[in-house]
Amino acid sequence: MSGISNLIQKEGNKVKVQIKPISANEAWKGRRIKTDKYKAYEKTLMWILPTTLKIPLPPFEIHYTFGFSSLSSDWDNPIKQTTDILSKKYKFNDKLIKRAIIDVEKVEKGQEFFEFEITHLEK
């Protein structure tokens, strides 16, 4: 269990997950069949993501930071599968996300991560 706690850092509604984000190419076989790698990634995240995260009222704004070790990683590659897993875990409809902020950081190999924060979008 102590190894798991090292994978998650939570500060308020901001969560950092010390796991390499899965790319769209790694996630899907053909058009919409999940790969075994995606299924394992989803299962891991569903288990380790904090259950105490308070999801605000919609509409939502989501802020992602992705830490990539490869300079060839596309900034948008992990967004859909990460969002799908978060919406499944926290039981919200991702169509209610009306704004997204995406940041990317270069990290050393083995230090890949993603961080997210879901807030209410003030109009």
Side-chain angles (χ1 to χ4, degrees), residues 8-106:
I8 297 287
Q9 297 170 5
K10 184 172 178 286
E11 182 180 317
N13 236 24
K14 183 186 280 188
V15 178
K16 183 174 184 177
V17 181
Q18 219 42 67
I19 292 179
K20 181 179 179 179
I22 190 171
S23 74
N25 295 336
E26 295 171 311
W28 304 107
K29 295 180 200 174
R31 293 193 46 84
R32 292 304 265 175
I33 300 170
K34 293 178 184 178
T35 62
D36 291 340
K37 186 170 185 173
Y38 185 166
K39 291 174 188 175
Y41 179 71
E42 180 180 45
K43 184 176 181 180
T44 298
L45 290 180
M46 292 295 287
W47 191 62
I48 69 168
L49 284 169
T51 57
T52 58
L53 193 66
K54 293 181 181 178
I55 302 300
L57 292 173
F60 303 122
E61 175 176 296
I62 190 162
H63 184 179
Y64 284 119
T65 302
F66 293 102
F68 295 134
S69 60
S70 172
L71 291 174
S72 64
S73 295
D74 291 339
W75 68 274
D76 63 342
N77 216 334
I79 294 170
K80 177 64 176 156
Q81 47 279 8
T82 302
T83 303
D84 287 348
I85 293 168
L86 293 179
S87 67
K88 181 176 180 179
K89 174 72 176 186
Y90 298 115
K91 298 175 176 47
F92 67 89
N93 190 328
D94 63 356
K95 76 176 184 181
L96 298 173
I97 298 172
K98 301 302 180 186
R99 178 180 295 148
I101 301 168
I102 316 299
D103 293 316
V104 174
E105 296 178 10
K106 171 74 169 95

